[in-house]
Amino acid sequence: MSQISTLAFDLEESSGQGHGMVAFVDPKSHQIVECNDSLSEALGVAKTQILGETVFQVFTSKSRRSAEKVYRSFLKTQSVSEAELELEDTDGKGIPVTLRLSGARDEKGKIHCTRFSWHNISDLKKETNRLREKVALGLREVNKRGKHLQKEVERRKTTQSKLRNTVTLLRRRAKETRILAKRVIGIQEAERRRLARDLHDETNQKLAFLSLQVAGLMQGLPMKTDQLQQHLQSVLDNISSLANEVRQLAHQLHPAVLEHLGFVEAMEAYIAEISQSKEFEIVFRHRNVHKTIPLELSLCLYRVAQECLGNVIKHAHARTIQLSFVGFAKSLRLSIRDDGIGMTPKQFRGLSQGLGFVSMRERVRLVKGRLRIKSKPRKGTEIHITVPRVENIS
Ligand SMILES: Nc1ncnc2c1ncn2[C@@H]1O[C@H](COP(=O)(O)OP(=O)(O)OP(=O)(O)O)[C@@H](O)[C@H]1O
Ligand SMILES: [Mg+2]
């Protein structure tokens, strides 16, 4: 009697939980001896049809075998057991449940009644499936994006490798151009030197001889040929001014003084020459440049200064040009400043027709130096060249 009342209590409590389906089973015959309404409602059959049936009949054929296994294992171990299975309902879809087995024991501790309690997990399953689908969808999207990213990475890799090839090619071309520029500048200097020597040794000598001849002629003429004397004197003057110009030209082409006396003296001589007839003032200052400068460096600086001064004369309309040449422990700096009309970046970046800036930059680069230009329209121009003071540059 006490056992029955315990079962009744258990059943009521289980029904109160709403979803809880409970049945009590005889462990020997496996027949259902009692069950609650929740179970009969869920299975869609009357309670009277359930009682007396083997408990395994309430499971779908799919999960019957597992139910038997769980039950047998429970009886053997006599410990509480749990599993996920399916109950068979009338429409044959099956109700997903969790099964919990527990037993009521007699005085000897032996199970005399097994309690099957099922919990309907349809909603949980649905939610799990919904989440699973969502995750699968997310995964598909991630995969899709991953593939897209992979393609993008591949595309970038290809572009990068193409760019690398182009950079290598450009570097090679730049190197070739540098070698070519160096050769061109070398050839140009050699040619200038040859021209200067020819002008000095041949043309100038011939002019000197011609002026001696004219002077001789003048001496041999009788006094009364005054007009002729005057005429010859003017020929003589022309010859001497021509000789002067040829000398200057030879000097500009190849300043021998640069080789023999150095940059400062060559610059002073050049400034004296160009200052003669012009309407501007050139101020040249130098500091700490006593040490001898390698010819390659002084030639570079001289040519750059020549081009800068030439540019100021040609384009700047300046009144004052300041040249400064300063020696530091490891470098030399030449600066040319003018108070002229200045220029736009397009002009000084060498984008104009002229070759002056292009050649200047190339010469400075060949001696591993740096060229900086500061200029603005109507604000004058400053050009700074810094070169390392090394003995052997190439
Ligand atoms: N000191 C300066 N003041 C104003 N403009 C200048 C000055 N130096 C150069 N420029 C401008 O920059 C341009 C480029 O100079 P660059 O020396 O390269 O060529 P260029 O003197 O015109 O020709 P090239 O030097 O080949 O005879 C010049 O045409 C001129 O307009
Ligand atoms: Mg120029």
Side-chain angles (χ1 to χ4, degrees), residues 307-308 310-317 338 340-344 346-348 350-360 375 380-383:
E307 176 58 37
C308 287
N311 274 352
V312 180
I313 295 165
K314 268 202 289 181
H315 313 293
H317 306 288
D338 71 64
I341 59 167
M343 55 184 150
T344 59
K346 191 179 168 189
Q347 285 171 301
F348 63 70
L351 301 173
S352 68
Q353 296 287 309
L355 280 178
F357 280 127
V358 176
S359 129
M360 254 197 266
S375 186
T381 301
E382 273 182 41
I383 298 182

Side-chain angles (χ1 to χ4, degrees), residues 7-24 32-51 58 87 95 115-116 118 120:
L7 292 183
F9 176 74
D10 266 4
L11 282 173
E12 272 165 25
E13 189 190 48
S14 306
S15 317
Q17 284 173 357
H19 291 296
M21 297 164 275
V22 177
F24 292 95
I32 299 172
V33 292
E34 183 57 282
C35 75
N36 65 359
D37 294 340
S38 295
L39 182 66
S40 65
E41 276 161 24
L43 299 180
V45 287
K47 197 170 163 184
T48 46
Q49 279 182 279
I50 298 171
L51 299 179
V58 300
L87 291 181
I95 308 161
R115 182 180 192 269
F116 278 64
W118 296 273
N120 189 335

Side-chain angles (χ1 to χ4, degrees), residues 16 64 71 140 219 231 235 256 311 314 339 372 384 386-387:
R64 207 162 285 156
Y71 185 40
R140 270 205 295 279
Q219 272 172 10
H231 195 65
V235 171
N311 274 352
K314 268 202 289 181
D339 57 359
R372 257 186 329 123
H384 303 277
T386 313
V387 291

